PDB file of all heavy atoms in Angstrom:
ATOM      1  N   ARG E1456     -12.342   1.136  10.264  1.00 88.00           N
ATOM      2  CA  ARG E1456     -11.050   1.410  10.922  1.00 88.00           C
ATOM      3  C   ARG E1456      -9.894   0.956  10.043  1.00 88.00           C
ATOM      4  O   ARG E1456      -8.896   1.665   9.869  1.00 88.00           O
ATOM      5  CB  ARG E1456     -10.981   0.665  12.267  1.00 88.00           C
ATOM      6  CG  ARG E1456     -11.823   1.244  13.374  1.00 88.00           C
ATOM      7  CD  ARG E1456     -11.390   0.686  14.720  1.00 88.00           C
ATOM      8  NE  ARG E1456     -11.352  -0.768  14.756  1.00 88.00           N
ATOM      9  CZ  ARG E1456     -12.319  -1.524  15.274  1.00 88.00           C
ATOM     10  NH1 ARG E1456     -13.397  -0.960  15.798  1.00 88.00           N
ATOM     11  NH2 ARG E1456     -12.204  -2.830  15.278  1.00 88.00           N
ATOM     12  N   LEU E1457     -10.044  -0.232   9.473  1.00 89.00           N
ATOM     13  CA  LEU E1457      -8.981  -0.796   8.647  1.00 89.00           C
ATOM     14  C   LEU E1457      -8.773   0.035   7.387  1.00 89.00           C
ATOM     15  O   LEU E1457      -7.634   0.342   7.010  1.00 89.00           O
ATOM     16  CB  LEU E1457      -9.353  -2.238   8.282  1.00 89.00           C
ATOM     17  CG  LEU E1457      -8.293  -3.110   7.617  1.00 89.00           C
ATOM     18  CD1 LEU E1457      -7.044  -3.200   8.483  1.00 89.00           C
ATOM     19  CD2 LEU E1457      -8.846  -4.502   7.364  1.00 89.00           C
ATOM     20  N   ASP E1458      -9.867   0.424   6.746  1.00 91.00           N
ATOM     21  CA  ASP E1458      -9.773   1.231   5.523  1.00 91.00           C
ATOM     22  C   ASP E1458      -9.127   2.589   5.806  1.00 91.00           C
ATOM     23  O   ASP E1458      -8.333   3.091   5.004  1.00 91.00           O
ATOM     24  CB  ASP E1458     -11.164   1.448   4.927  1.00 91.00           C
ATOM     25  CG  ASP E1458     -11.735   0.170   4.321  1.00 91.00           C
ATOM     26  OD1 ASP E1458     -10.949  -0.768   4.083  1.00 91.00           O
ATOM     27  OD2 ASP E1458     -12.956   0.110   4.096  1.00 91.00           O
ATOM     28  N   HIS E1459      -9.453   3.183   6.950  1.00 92.00           N
ATOM     29  CA  HIS E1459      -8.884   4.489   7.309  1.00 92.00           C
ATOM     30  C   HIS E1459      -7.363   4.389   7.487  1.00 92.00           C
ATOM     31  O   HIS E1459      -6.611   5.241   6.978  1.00 92.00           O
ATOM     32  CB  HIS E1459      -9.532   4.995   8.596  1.00 92.00           C
ATOM     33  CG  HIS E1459      -8.966   6.289   9.084  1.00 92.00           C
ATOM     34  ND1 HIS E1459      -9.077   7.473   8.370  1.00 92.00           N
ATOM     35  CD2 HIS E1459      -8.258   6.585  10.208  1.00 92.00           C
ATOM     36  CE1 HIS E1459      -8.468   8.437   9.035  1.00 92.00           C
ATOM     37  NE2 HIS E1459      -7.971   7.938  10.157  1.00 92.00           N
ATOM     38  N   LYS E1460      -6.896   3.352   8.166  1.00 92.00           N
ATOM     39  CA  LYS E1460      -5.452   3.172   8.366  1.00 92.00           C
ATOM     40  C   LYS E1460      -4.740   2.944   7.034  1.00 92.00           C
ATOM     41  O   LYS E1460      -3.643   3.458   6.803  1.00 92.00           O
ATOM     42  CB  LYS E1460      -5.192   1.990   9.306  1.00 92.00           C
ATOM     43  CG  LYS E1460      -5.603   2.244  10.744  1.00 92.00           C
ATOM     44  CD  LYS E1460      -5.349   1.014  11.594  1.00 92.00           C
ATOM     45  CE  LYS E1460      -5.769   1.227  13.035  1.00 92.00           C
ATOM     46  NZ  LYS E1460      -5.562   0.012  13.861  1.00 92.00           N
ATOM     47  N   PHE E1461      -5.374   2.148   6.171  1.00 94.00           N
ATOM     48  CA  PHE E1461      -4.812   1.900   4.841  1.00 94.00           C
ATOM     49  C   PHE E1461      -4.684   3.209   4.074  1.00 94.00           C
ATOM     50  O   PHE E1461      -3.637   3.492   3.472  1.00 94.00           O
ATOM     51  CB  PHE E1461      -5.721   0.922   4.091  1.00 94.00           C
ATOM     52  CG  PHE E1461      -5.260   0.576   2.702  1.00 94.00           C
ATOM     53  CD1 PHE E1461      -4.558  -0.595   2.466  1.00 94.00           C
ATOM     54  CD2 PHE E1461      -5.539   1.413   1.619  1.00 94.00           C
ATOM     55  CE1 PHE E1461      -4.136  -0.924   1.178  1.00 94.00           C
ATOM     56  CE2 PHE E1461      -5.132   1.094   0.342  1.00 94.00           C
ATOM     57  CZ  PHE E1461      -4.421  -0.079   0.115  1.00 94.00           C
ATOM     58  N   ASP E1462      -5.729   4.035   4.102  1.00 95.00           N
ATOM     59  CA  ASP E1462      -5.745   5.291   3.337  1.00 95.00           C
ATOM     60  C   ASP E1462      -4.651   6.247   3.798  1.00 95.00           C
ATOM     61  O   ASP E1462      -4.034   6.943   2.974  1.00 95.00           O
ATOM     62  CB  ASP E1462      -7.111   5.971   3.467  1.00 95.00           C
ATOM     63  CG  ASP E1462      -8.210   5.190   2.762  1.00 95.00           C
ATOM     64  OD1 ASP E1462      -7.872   4.344   1.910  1.00 95.00           O
ATOM     65  OD2 ASP E1462      -9.393   5.420   3.078  1.00 95.00           O
ATOM     66  N   LEU E1463      -4.401   6.293   5.102  1.00 94.00           N
ATOM     67  CA  LEU E1463      -3.384   7.197   5.634  1.00 94.00           C
ATOM     68  C   LEU E1463      -2.008   6.865   5.063  1.00 94.00           C
ATOM     69  O   LEU E1463      -1.247   7.759   4.684  1.00 94.00           O
ATOM     70  CB  LEU E1463      -3.342   7.116   7.163  1.00 94.00           C
ATOM     71  CG  LEU E1463      -4.550   7.699   7.918  1.00 94.00           C
ATOM     72  CD1 LEU E1463      -4.420   7.432   9.414  1.00 94.00           C
ATOM     73  CD2 LEU E1463      -4.658   9.206   7.659  1.00 94.00           C
ATOM     74  N   MET E1464      -1.684   5.571   4.985  1.00 94.00           N
ATOM     75  CA  MET E1464      -0.373   5.168   4.468  1.00 94.00           C
ATOM     76  C   MET E1464      -0.321   5.235   2.945  1.00 94.00           C
ATOM     77  O   MET E1464       0.666   5.694   2.363  1.00 94.00           O
ATOM     78  CB  MET E1464      -0.036   3.748   4.942  1.00 94.00           C
ATOM     79  CG  MET E1464       0.220   3.625   6.424  1.00 94.00           C
ATOM     80  SD  MET E1464       1.222   2.179   6.860  1.00 94.00           S
ATOM     81  CE  MET E1464       0.256   0.858   6.185  1.00 94.00           C
ATOM     82  N   TYR E1465      -1.412   4.797   2.315  1.00 95.00           N
ATOM     83  CA  TYR E1465      -1.410   4.726   0.851  1.00 95.00           C
ATOM     84  C   TYR E1465      -1.401   6.110   0.215  1.00 95.00           C
ATOM     85  O   TYR E1465      -0.884   6.299  -0.892  1.00 95.00           O
ATOM     86  CB  TYR E1465      -2.628   3.926   0.371  1.00 95.00           C
ATOM     87  CG  TYR E1465      -2.576   3.572  -1.094  1.00 95.00           C
ATOM     88  CD1 TYR E1465      -1.624   2.659  -1.571  1.00 95.00           C
ATOM     89  CD2 TYR E1465      -3.464   4.140  -2.005  1.00 95.00           C
ATOM     90  CE1 TYR E1465      -1.567   2.334  -2.917  1.00 95.00           C
ATOM     91  CE2 TYR E1465      -3.421   3.818  -3.350  1.00 95.00           C
ATOM     92  CZ  TYR E1465      -2.466   2.917  -3.798  1.00 95.00           C
ATOM     93  OH  TYR E1465      -2.403   2.591  -5.136  1.00 95.00           O
ATOM     94  N   ALA E1466      -1.950   7.100   0.906  1.00 95.00           N
ATOM     95  CA  ALA E1466      -1.951   8.471   0.384  1.00 95.00           C
ATOM     96  C   ALA E1466      -0.530   8.980   0.184  1.00 95.00           C
ATOM     97  O   ALA E1466      -0.258   9.775  -0.727  1.00 95.00           O
ATOM     98  CB  ALA E1466      -2.714   9.387   1.345  1.00 95.00           C
ATOM     99  N   LYS E1467       0.394   8.503   1.019  1.00 95.00           N
ATOM    100  CA  LYS E1467       1.803   8.896   0.915  1.00 95.00           C
ATOM    101  C   LYS E1467       2.648   7.826   0.215  1.00 95.00           C
ATOM    102  O   LYS E1467       3.873   7.966   0.117  1.00 95.00           O
ATOM    103  CB  LYS E1467       2.379   9.127   2.322  1.00 95.00           C
ATOM    104  CG  LYS E1467       1.777  10.317   3.054  1.00 95.00           C
ATOM    105  CD  LYS E1467       2.214  11.620   2.412  1.00 95.00           C
ATOM    106  CE  LYS E1467       1.739  12.809   3.219  1.00 95.00           C
ATOM    107  NZ  LYS E1467       2.148  14.093   2.613  1.00 95.00           N
ATOM    108  N   LYS E1468       1.971   6.760  -0.227  1.00 94.00           N
ATOM    109  CA  LYS E1468       2.672   5.621  -0.858  1.00 94.00           C
ATOM    110  C   LYS E1468       3.770   5.067   0.066  1.00 94.00           C
ATOM    111  O   LYS E1468       4.801   4.574  -0.392  1.00 94.00           O
ATOM    112  CB  LYS E1468       3.290   6.049  -2.199  1.00 94.00           C
ATOM    113  CG  LYS E1468       2.278   6.555  -3.225  1.00 94.00           C
ATOM    114  CD  LYS E1468       1.372   5.452  -3.707  1.00 94.00           C
ATOM    115  CE  LYS E1468       0.497   5.888  -4.873  1.00 94.00           C
ATOM    116  NZ  LYS E1468      -0.578   6.806  -4.508  1.00 94.00           N
ATOM    117  N   ALA E1469       3.522   5.170   1.365  1.00 95.00           N
ATOM    118  CA  ALA E1469       4.518   4.722   2.352  1.00 95.00           C
ATOM    119  C   ALA E1469       4.647   3.200   2.345  1.00 95.00           C
ATOM    120  O   ALA E1469       3.641   2.492   2.274  1.00 95.00           O
ATOM    121  CB  ALA E1469       4.114   5.206   3.747  1.00 95.00           C
ATOM    122  N   PHE E1470       5.887   2.726   2.400  1.00 95.00           N
ATOM    123  CA  PHE E1470       6.242   1.299   2.462  1.00 95.00           C
ATOM    124  C   PHE E1470       5.849   0.513   1.210  1.00 95.00           C
ATOM    125  O   PHE E1470       5.996  -0.712   1.182  1.00 95.00           O
ATOM    126  CB  PHE E1470       5.615   0.624   3.697  1.00 95.00           C
ATOM    127  CG  PHE E1470       5.964   1.281   4.994  1.00 95.00           C
ATOM    128  CD1 PHE E1470       5.042   2.117   5.630  1.00 95.00           C
ATOM    129  CD2 PHE E1470       7.199   1.090   5.587  1.00 95.00           C
ATOM    130  CE1 PHE E1470       5.362   2.734   6.830  1.00 95.00           C
ATOM    131  CE2 PHE E1470       7.525   1.712   6.786  1.00 95.00           C
ATOM    132  CZ  PHE E1470       6.600   2.532   7.410  1.00 95.00           C
ATOM    133  N   LEU E1471       5.343   1.197   0.202  1.00 95.00           N
ATOM    134  CA  LEU E1471       4.840   0.508  -0.989  1.00 95.00           C
ATOM    135  C   LEU E1471       5.959  -0.160  -1.777  1.00 95.00           C
ATOM    136  O   LEU E1471       5.755  -1.202  -2.407  1.00 95.00           O
ATOM    137  CB  LEU E1471       4.098   1.519  -1.871  1.00 95.00           C
ATOM    138  CG  LEU E1471       2.896   0.996  -2.663  1.00 95.00           C
ATOM    139  CD1 LEU E1471       1.840   0.440  -1.736  1.00 95.00           C
ATOM    140  CD2 LEU E1471       2.311   2.113  -3.518  1.00 95.00           C
ATOM    141  N   HIS E1472       7.155   0.454  -1.725  1.00 94.00           N
ATOM    142  CA  HIS E1472       8.262  -0.053  -2.549  1.00 94.00           C
ATOM    143  C   HIS E1472       8.664  -1.473  -2.162  1.00 94.00           C
ATOM    144  O   HIS E1472       9.168  -2.234  -2.999  1.00 94.00           O
ATOM    145  CB  HIS E1472       9.474   0.886  -2.446  1.00 94.00           C
ATOM    146  CG  HIS E1472      10.063   0.965  -1.081  1.00 94.00           C
ATOM    147  ND1 HIS E1472       9.470   1.654  -0.052  1.00 94.00           N
ATOM    148  CD2 HIS E1472      11.208   0.418  -0.569  1.00 94.00           C
ATOM    149  CE1 HIS E1472      10.220   1.555   1.033  1.00 94.00           C
ATOM    150  NE2 HIS E1472      11.271   0.809   0.753  1.00 94.00           N
ATOM    151  N   TRP E1473       8.441  -1.863  -0.912  1.00 94.00           N
ATOM    152  CA  TRP E1473       8.803  -3.222  -0.499  1.00 94.00           C
ATOM    153  C   TRP E1473       7.940  -4.262  -1.216  1.00 94.00           C
ATOM    154  O   TRP E1473       8.413  -5.335  -1.589  1.00 94.00           O
ATOM    155  CB  TRP E1473       8.631  -3.381   1.017  1.00 94.00           C
ATOM    156  CG  TRP E1473       9.569  -2.525   1.816  1.00 94.00           C
ATOM    157  CD1 TRP E1473       9.246  -1.440   2.578  1.00 94.00           C
ATOM    158  CD2 TRP E1473      10.992  -2.676   1.924  1.00 94.00           C
ATOM    159  NE1 TRP E1473      10.373  -0.898   3.155  1.00 94.00           N
ATOM    160  CE2 TRP E1473      11.459  -1.645   2.766  1.00 94.00           C
ATOM    161  CE3 TRP E1473      11.919  -3.573   1.377  1.00 94.00           C
ATOM    162  CZ2 TRP E1473      12.798  -1.499   3.085  1.00 94.00           C
ATOM    163  CZ3 TRP E1473      13.254  -3.430   1.700  1.00 94.00           C
ATOM    164  CH2 TRP E1473      13.687  -2.407   2.537  1.00 94.00           C
ATOM    165  N   TYR E1474       6.690  -3.933  -1.403  1.00 95.00           N
ATOM    166  CA  TYR E1474       5.780  -4.862  -2.085  1.00 95.00           C
ATOM    167  C   TYR E1474       6.066  -4.898  -3.586  1.00 95.00           C
ATOM    168  O   TYR E1474       6.047  -5.959  -4.207  1.00 95.00           O
ATOM    169  CB  TYR E1474       4.320  -4.438  -1.838  1.00 95.00           C
ATOM    170  CG  TYR E1474       3.889  -4.568  -0.407  1.00 95.00           C
ATOM    171  CD1 TYR E1474       4.109  -3.533   0.506  1.00 95.00           C
ATOM    172  CD2 TYR E1474       3.249  -5.717   0.052  1.00 95.00           C
ATOM    173  CE1 TYR E1474       3.704  -3.643   1.834  1.00 95.00           C
ATOM    174  CE2 TYR E1474       2.844  -5.834   1.371  1.00 95.00           C
ATOM    175  CZ  TYR E1474       3.077  -4.795   2.257  1.00 95.00           C
ATOM    176  OH  TYR E1474       2.687  -4.918   3.570  1.00 95.00           O
ATOM    177  N   ILE E1475       6.338  -3.723  -4.160  1.00 95.00           N
ATOM    178  CA  ILE E1475       6.625  -3.653  -5.598  1.00 95.00           C
ATOM    179  C   ILE E1475       7.921  -4.384  -5.913  1.00 95.00           C
ATOM    180  O   ILE E1475       8.041  -5.061  -6.942  1.00 95.00           O
ATOM    181  CB  ILE E1475       6.694  -2.174  -6.039  1.00 95.00           C
ATOM    182  CG1 ILE E1475       5.302  -1.525  -5.892  1.00 95.00           C
ATOM    183  CG2 ILE E1475       7.200  -2.042  -7.466  1.00 95.00           C
ATOM    184  CD1 ILE E1475       5.267  -0.034  -6.094  1.00 95.00           C
ATOM    185  N   ARG E1476       8.873  -4.304  -4.985  1.00 94.00           N
ATOM    186  CA  ARG E1476      10.142  -5.002  -5.167  1.00 94.00           C
ATOM    187  C   ARG E1476       9.952  -6.521  -5.212  1.00 94.00           C
ATOM    188  O   ARG E1476      10.725  -7.244  -5.837  1.00 94.00           O
ATOM    189  CB  ARG E1476      11.095  -4.618  -4.039  1.00 94.00           C
ATOM    190  CG  ARG E1476      12.518  -5.107  -4.237  1.00 94.00           C
ATOM    191  CD  ARG E1476      13.416  -4.664  -3.090  1.00 94.00           C
ATOM    192  NE  ARG E1476      13.598  -3.213  -3.060  1.00 94.00           N
ATOM    193  CZ  ARG E1476      14.338  -2.573  -2.148  1.00 94.00           C
ATOM    194  NH1 ARG E1476      14.932  -3.273  -1.177  1.00 94.00           N
ATOM    195  NH2 ARG E1476      14.459  -1.268  -2.189  1.00 94.00           N
ATOM    196  N   GLU E1477       8.892  -6.997  -4.539  1.00 94.00           N
ATOM    197  CA  GLU E1477       8.611  -8.439  -4.519  1.00 94.00           C
ATOM    198  C   GLU E1477       7.785  -8.893  -5.718  1.00 94.00           C
ATOM    199  O   GLU E1477       7.411 -10.059  -5.810  1.00 94.00           O
ATOM    200  CB  GLU E1477       7.867  -8.801  -3.230  1.00 94.00           C
ATOM    201  CG  GLU E1477       8.694  -8.663  -1.963  1.00 94.00           C
ATOM    202  CD  GLU E1477       9.867  -9.635  -1.917  1.00 94.00           C
ATOM    203  OE1 GLU E1477       9.701 -10.780  -2.400  1.00 94.00           O
ATOM    204  OE2 GLU E1477      10.947  -9.246  -1.435  1.00 94.00           O
ATOM    205  N   GLY E1478       7.473  -7.952  -6.623  1.00 94.00           N
ATOM    206  CA  GLY E1478       6.759  -8.339  -7.841  1.00 94.00           C
ATOM    207  C   GLY E1478       5.311  -7.893  -7.917  1.00 94.00           C
ATOM    208  O   GLY E1478       4.623  -8.173  -8.906  1.00 94.00           O
ATOM    209  N   MET E1479       4.808  -7.244  -6.877  1.00 94.00           N
ATOM    210  CA  MET E1479       3.430  -6.764  -6.914  1.00 94.00           C
ATOM    211  C   MET E1479       3.341  -5.456  -7.685  1.00 94.00           C
ATOM    212  O   MET E1479       4.343  -4.781  -7.899  1.00 94.00           O
ATOM    213  CB  MET E1479       2.898  -6.562  -5.485  1.00 94.00           C
ATOM    214  CG  MET E1479       2.731  -7.841  -4.705  1.00 94.00           C
ATOM    215  SD  MET E1479       1.961  -7.566  -3.103  1.00 94.00           S
ATOM    216  CE  MET E1479       0.317  -7.069  -3.595  1.00 94.00           C
ATOM    217  N   GLU E1480       2.124  -5.102  -8.099  1.00 94.00           N
ATOM    218  CA  GLU E1480       1.895  -3.842  -8.814  1.00 94.00           C
ATOM    219  C   GLU E1480       1.036  -2.914  -7.956  1.00 94.00           C
ATOM    220  O   GLU E1480       0.236  -3.370  -7.137  1.00 94.00           O
ATOM    221  CB  GLU E1480       1.194  -4.113 -10.149  1.00 94.00           C
ATOM    222  CG  GLU E1480       2.023  -4.950 -11.112  1.00 94.00           C
ATOM    223  CD  GLU E1480       1.294  -5.224 -12.417  1.00 94.00           C
ATOM    224  OE1 GLU E1480       0.158  -4.693 -12.567  1.00 94.00           O
ATOM    225  OE2 GLU E1480       1.838  -5.948 -13.262  1.00 94.00           O
ATOM    226  N   GLU E1481       1.220  -1.621  -8.185  1.00 93.00           N
ATOM    227  CA  GLU E1481       0.489  -0.642  -7.396  1.00 93.00           C
ATOM    228  C   GLU E1481      -1.017  -0.775  -7.603  1.00 93.00           C
ATOM    229  O   GLU E1481      -1.815  -0.520  -6.692  1.00 93.00           O
ATOM    230  CB  GLU E1481       0.956   0.771  -7.763  1.00 93.00           C
ATOM    231  CG  GLU E1481       0.501   1.836  -6.785  1.00 93.00           C
ATOM    232  CD  GLU E1481       1.115   3.191  -7.077  1.00 93.00           C
ATOM    233  OE1 GLU E1481       2.336   3.248  -7.372  1.00 93.00           O
ATOM    234  OE2 GLU E1481       0.365   4.189  -7.018  1.00 93.00           O
ATOM    235  N   GLY E1482      -1.395  -1.196  -8.789  1.00 94.00           N
ATOM    236  CA  GLY E1482      -2.813  -1.366  -9.094  1.00 94.00           C
ATOM    237  C   GLY E1482      -3.499  -2.393  -8.206  1.00 94.00           C
ATOM    238  O   GLY E1482      -4.709  -2.319  -7.963  1.00 94.00           O
ATOM    239  N   GLU E1483      -2.729  -3.366  -7.722  1.00 95.00           N
ATOM    240  CA  GLU E1483      -3.307  -4.387  -6.846  1.00 95.00           C
ATOM    241  C   GLU E1483      -3.784  -3.773  -5.529  1.00 95.00           C
ATOM    242  O   GLU E1483      -4.767  -4.225  -4.932  1.00 95.00           O
ATOM    243  CB  GLU E1483      -2.281  -5.494  -6.572  1.00 95.00           C
ATOM    244  CG  GLU E1483      -1.916  -6.310  -7.804  1.00 95.00           C
ATOM    245  CD  GLU E1483      -0.882  -7.387  -7.487  1.00 95.00           C
ATOM    246  OE1 GLU E1483      -1.167  -8.248  -6.636  1.00 95.00           O
ATOM    247  OE2 GLU E1483       0.216  -7.356  -8.093  1.00 95.00           O
ATOM    248  N   PHE E1484      -3.078  -2.745  -5.070  1.00 96.00           N
ATOM    249  CA  PHE E1484      -3.454  -2.083  -3.827  1.00 96.00           C
ATOM    250  C   PHE E1484      -4.767  -1.312  -3.992  1.00 96.00           C
ATOM    251  O   PHE E1484      -5.659  -1.404  -3.141  1.00 96.00           O
ATOM    252  CB  PHE E1484      -2.346  -1.130  -3.377  1.00 96.00           C
ATOM    253  CG  PHE E1484      -1.168  -1.827  -2.768  1.00 96.00           C
ATOM    254  CD1 PHE E1484      -0.218  -2.446  -3.554  1.00 96.00           C
ATOM    255  CD2 PHE E1484      -1.015  -1.874  -1.385  1.00 96.00           C
ATOM    256  CE1 PHE E1484       0.871  -3.090  -2.999  1.00 96.00           C
ATOM    257  CE2 PHE E1484       0.062  -2.520  -0.809  1.00 96.00           C
ATOM    258  CZ  PHE E1484       1.007  -3.128  -1.616  1.00 96.00           C
ATOM    259  N   SER E1485      -4.879  -0.547  -5.083  1.00 95.00           N
ATOM    260  CA  SER E1485      -6.098   0.232  -5.306  1.00 95.00           C
ATOM    261  C   SER E1485      -7.291  -0.688  -5.563  1.00 95.00           C
ATOM    262  O   SER E1485      -8.412  -0.413  -5.109  1.00 95.00           O
ATOM    263  CB  SER E1485      -5.911   1.197  -6.482  1.00 95.00           C
ATOM    264  OG  SER E1485      -5.499   0.504  -7.643  1.00 95.00           O
ATOM    265  N   GLU E1486      -7.051  -1.812  -6.240  1.00 96.00           N
ATOM    266  CA  GLU E1486      -8.124  -2.778  -6.503  1.00 96.00           C
ATOM    267  C   GLU E1486      -8.630  -3.401  -5.194  1.00 96.00           C
ATOM    268  O   GLU E1486      -9.846  -3.534  -4.979  1.00 96.00           O
ATOM    269  CB  GLU E1486      -7.614  -3.876  -7.438  1.00 96.00           C
ATOM    270  CG  GLU E1486      -8.678  -4.897  -7.811  1.00 96.00           C
ATOM    271  CD  GLU E1486      -8.105  -6.020  -8.679  1.00 96.00           C
ATOM    272  OE1 GLU E1486      -7.089  -5.799  -9.367  1.00 96.00           O
ATOM    273  OE2 GLU E1486      -8.678  -7.127  -8.646  1.00 96.00           O
ATOM    274  N   ALA E1487      -7.683  -3.767  -4.308  1.00 95.00           N
ATOM    275  CA  ALA E1487      -8.050  -4.355  -3.020  1.00 95.00           C
ATOM    276  C   ALA E1487      -8.819  -3.345  -2.171  1.00 95.00           C
ATOM    277  O   ALA E1487      -9.813  -3.680  -1.520  1.00 95.00           O
ATOM    278  CB  ALA E1487      -6.797  -4.824  -2.288  1.00 95.00           C
TER     279      ALA E1487
END
C-alpha cells in the first residue's frame, strides 16, 4: 500500500521540489 501511494506521487514528481530545496537529491527517493 505504501509503495503504491509513493509511486503515484513520484511518477509526477509531485511535491518533490520541497525536499530538493532542503538539500536532498532526487536519487535519494529512487534509492529508498
Side-chain angles (χ1 to χ4, degrees):
R1456 286 196 307 261
L1457 190 57
D1458 289 343
H1459 177 64
K1460 290 178 181 178
F1461 180 98
D1462 292 342
L1463 290 175
M1464 292 203 303
Y1465 191 68
K1467 293 290 186 180
K1468 300 292 188 288
F1470 304 102
L1471 213 60
H1472 64 285
W1473 295 111
Y1474 294 87
I1475 294 171
R1476 189 179 293 180
E1477 292 295 324
M1479 293 185 67
E1480 297 179 3
E1481 193 173 317
E1483 294 179 59
F1484 284 79
S1485 55
E1486 182 183 335

